[in-house]
Amino acid sequence: ENLMKVMGELAKEIPETMQGFNKLHDSSVKTEKISGKTKQLIALGIAITVRCNGCISFHIHEALEAGASREEIVETIGVAVMMGGGPSVVYGTEAFEALNQFQNK
């Protein structure tokens, strides 16, 4: 929630940039051949490997909203660890913690 709030504040300062990003985001997650759930899981795996905490939280939330199961998210974390090595273990652990928070476990 805080991330979205601050992004909204940033959009007031750099509206063209944020509008451009939002357009890119919206066109990228639009479902055509790949489901929204799959796209969110891909984005989560990338977020873990590029070490973006805010992206991890955002894409776990969006993956859950798109119908991803806990098992699918955990398996995505595993693929990210395979691709990103040790640093992805750390960020994968953070993703797992975020998943637990979103699911209140």
Side-chain angles (χ1 to χ4, degrees):
E1 290 175 5
N2 187 55
L3 177 63
M4 296 304 290
K5 176 182 167 256
V6 175
M7 284 177 66
E9 293 170 6
L10 181 60
K12 292 176 185 172
E13 300 288 327
I14 51 171
E16 289 182 28
T17 300
M18 294 305 288
Q19 287 170 1
F21 175 76
N22 288 335
K23 186 174 181 180
L24 172 65
H25 176 272
D26 292 346
S27 67
S28 297
V29 298
K30 186 172 122 185
T31 58
E32 290 182 10
K33 306 285 188 240
I34 299 174
S35 73
K37 176 178 79 170
T38 300
K39 287 184 178 190
Q40 290 303 325
L41 292 171
I42 291 168
L44 172 60
I46 293 168
I48 292 167
T49 60
V50 299
R51 305 175 196 143
C52 178
N53 287 327
C55 302
I56 290 168
S57 295
F58 182 85
H59 291 294
I60 284 183
H61 178 267
E62 294 301 301
L64 289 167
E65 290 290 312
S69 69
R70 178 181 186 83
E71 293 79 12
E72 289 169 319
I73 291 172
V74 171
E75 194 167 316
T76 299
I77 293 169
V79 173
V81 167
M82 176 202 53
M83 294 302 293
S88 290
V89 171
V90 173
Y91 284 85
T93 301
E94 292 183 16
F96 186 69
E97 182 178 38
L99 173 61
N100 287 336
Q101 289 174 0
F102 279 117
Q103 293 188 321
N104 296 317
K105 291 190 177 201

